[in-house]
Amino acid sequence: MNHRDAEGAEVTGEVIGAAIEVHRALGPGLLESAYEECLCRELSLRHISFVRQLRLPVEYKGVKVDCSYRLDLLVASSVVVEVKAVVALEPIHTAQMLTYMKLGRWKLGLLINFNVPLLWTGIRRMILKED
């Protein structure tokens, strides 16, 4: 494992720890926005840097098109975090995350579904393979 991979593993571990704390306190059943707000608070308490609702422009054949997406969180300038509160993660959620990672050229992502009895069953760690 190289230094960059070790840093990524550390950051994802910190985010997962913060998410587990939020889930322990709140449990399943709330809106995504509530989990996102509380996860941001927990990351702040742990002094973990992040940007919330980061605009992600779409570029097509050299032109920025008139639409953009927003990442829920970008943690430590390297890990994309998408917060969900759904019955089950669907393939479209995975596709969305991989697209965000590709557009922003980030290698690591965490897709976290808080609407589960045990949070670890709702976490997907994703790695974007380099071309």
Side-chain angles (χ1 to χ4, degrees), residues 59-65:
E59 191 172 304
Y60 179 73
K61 293 188 177 183
V63 175
K64 286 188 180 179
V65 294

Side-chain angles (χ1 to χ4, degrees), residues 89-117:
L89 290 173
E90 300 288 339
I92 190 67
H93 299 126
T94 301
Q96 175 188 34
M97 175 64 104
L98 290 172
T99 298
Y100 288 172
M101 292 167 65
K102 184 177 177 182
L103 287 172
R105 296 188 176 123
W106 294 291
K107 184 179 175 184
L108 291 173
L110 288 171
L111 184 55
I112 305 174
N113 182 18
F114 282 88
N115 196 32
V116 291

Side-chain angles (χ1 to χ4, degrees), residues 49-54 71-81 106 108:
S49 67
F50 66 92
V51 176
R52 185 174 181 189
Q53 294 296 313
L54 179 67
L71 301 179
D72 288 343
L73 301 170
L74 180 63
V75 179
S77 301
S78 61
V79 179
V80 177
V81 178
W106 294 291
L108 291 173

Side-chain angles (χ1 to χ4, degrees), residues 2-120:
N2 65 36
H3 178 69
R4 190 172 175 200
D5 290 342
E7 282 180 1
E10 183 178 331
V11 172
T12 58
E14 290 174 349
V15 173
I16 290 168
I20 288 170
E21 181 64 25
V22 170
H23 192 265
R24 277 190 192 134
L26 301 176
L30 301 177
L31 295 174
E32 288 175 17
S33 58
Y35 293 114
E36 182 181 324
E37 186 74 35
C38 293
L39 181 57
C40 288
R41 176 70 178 137
E42 189 62 34
L43 292 171
S44 293
L45 290 171
R46 294 172 182 228
H47 306 288
I48 300 168
S49 67
F50 66 92
V51 176
R52 185 174 181 189
Q53 294 296 313
L54 179 67
R55 289 181 62 110
L56 184 60
V58 176
E59 191 172 304
Y60 179 73
K61 293 188 177 183
V63 175
K64 286 188 180 179
V65 294
D66 191 23
C67 69
S68 67
Y69 293 89
R70 291 183 184 270
L71 301 179
D72 288 343
L73 301 170
L74 180 63
V75 179
S77 301
S78 61
V79 179
V80 177
V81 178
E82 275 298 302
V83 174
K84 300 292 180 196
V86 294
V87 173
L89 290 173
E90 300 288 339
I92 190 67
H93 299 126
T94 301
Q96 175 188 34
M97 175 64 104
L98 290 172
T99 298
Y100 288 172
M101 292 167 65
K102 184 177 177 182
L103 287 172
R105 296 188 176 123
W106 294 291
K107 184 179 175 184
L108 291 173
L110 288 171
L111 184 55
I112 305 174
N113 182 18
F114 282 88
N115 196 32
V116 291
L118 298 171
L119 189 64
W120 66 269

